Amino acid sequence: MSLINTKVQPFKTQAFHNGQFEEVTEQTLSNGKNWSVVIFMPAAFTFNCPTEIEDAADNYADFQKANAEVYIVTTDTHFSHKVWHETSDAVGKAKFFLVGDPTHALTNAFDVHIPEEGLALRGTFVIDPSGTIKTMEVHSNEIARDVKETVRKLKAAQYTAAHPGEVCPAKWKEGEKTLKPSIDLVGKI
C-alpha cells in the first residue's frame, strides 16, 4: 500500500537541532503551519550521507523560503548526531533537525526499514501542514539524492494544494505554466 495521501503515524523520538536535544513527534510534522521534508539516510558516520546533508544545508534557505522544515533521520541516536555534527565539516553545516530513530519506529512507519541491517533506505517524503504525505521517493543506499529536486517537488505540492484542479507537468518549476485537466486536453498534449 502506498503512503501517499496518508497521515504520518504517531511517533516520539529525539533530535539534535541547533546545539540542543529536542523531542520530535508526528505533531511536529503536522502543526498546521509548516510543510515538512523528511529525509531518511542509512546511518551516521557513513560515506554518502554527509554529502546529502551538506547538499540539504546548502539549499536550506530554499526550504525555509518555502515554509518547510527539514528532518534528516537515521537509525542512530540523537547523541550520535551531536558528535557527527561536531566532527564532520559537511554535517556541521546542518541547521535543521538530525533525528534519531534507534527503535526503528520511523523507518518502519515510513516503510524504509532494512530489517536484516537495522538501517534505513534513502527515502524522501514531503508532508503538508496537516501531516499528510504528498510525495515519496525511496531508493537503494548507494545512490545519493539531489536536494534541488526535493525543493522542486515541495513547491509543486504546495502549488497544487493552493490551486485545486491544476496539475504540475514534467519538469515544472515555480512560476511556470500548469495544466487544468479536462476532456479538451485529452490527446492534445
Side-chain angles (χ1 to χ4, degrees):
M1 181 178 120
S2 175
L3 295 174
I4 296 298
N5 291 321
T6 65
K7 295 284 187 183
V8 174
Q9 296 178 21
F11 72 91
K12 181 166 64 171
T13 191
Q14 293 289 314
F16 180 71
H17 180 232
N18 290 332
Q20 302 292 318
F21 293 134
E22 294 185 33
E23 184 176 85
V24 177
T25 70
E26 77 283 354
Q27 293 165 340
T28 309
L29 306 182
S30 60
N31 61 22
K33 296 181 281 185
N34 298 11
W35 287 69
S36 300
V37 177
V38 179
I39 301 172
F40 287 90
M41 298 181 183
F45 301 101
T46 56
F47 311 104
N48 258 350
C49 296
T51 68
E52 290 189 311
I53 290 176
E54 184 171 37
D55 186 28
D58 290 345
N59 289 279
Y60 189 51
D62 292 332
F63 286 112
Q64 289 189 309
K65 271 187 359 191
N67 194 35
E69 186 54 74
V70 175
Y71 302 85
I72 302 288
V73 182
T74 77
T75 56
D76 304 287
T77 67
H78 54 295
F79 301 113
S80 295
H81 289 159
K82 177 185 183 298
V83 175
W84 195 25
H85 191 270
E86 292 171 349
T87 59
S88 167
D89 290 340
V91 178
K93 292 180 177 182
K95 303 281 188 238
F96 38 77
F97 292 81
L98 300 174
V99 181
D101 185 32
T103 66
H104 306 154
L106 279 169
T107 57
N108 280 309
F110 282 84
D111 201 24
V112 295
H113 187 66
I114 308 169
E116 57 278 2
E117 296 179 22
L119 302 175
L121 290 168
R122 293 190 192 282
T124 308
F125 299 82
V126 173
I127 302 166
D128 76 11
S130 75
T132 302
I133 299 169
K134 300 310 288 180
T135 76
M136 64 182 276
E137 174 188 16
V138 180
H139 55 85
S140 189
N141 282 334
E142 69 273 9
I143 305 163
R145 294 157 280 200
D146 183 341
V147 172
K148 287 192 185 300
E149 177 60 8
T150 304
V151 172
R152 188 194 73 78
K153 288 178 185 179
L154 166 67
K155 290 181 178 182
Q158 290 174 329
Y159 183 89
T160 58
H163 300 89
E166 293 184 42
V167 298
C168 296
K171 298 184 180 183
W172 177 89
K173 290 186 177 64
E174 188 175 33
E176 293 182 350
K177 186 178 178 183
T178 59
L179 301 172
K180 289 187 182 187
S182 72
I183 196 162
D184 296 334
L185 285 181
V186 176
K188 304 237 171 106
I189 296 176

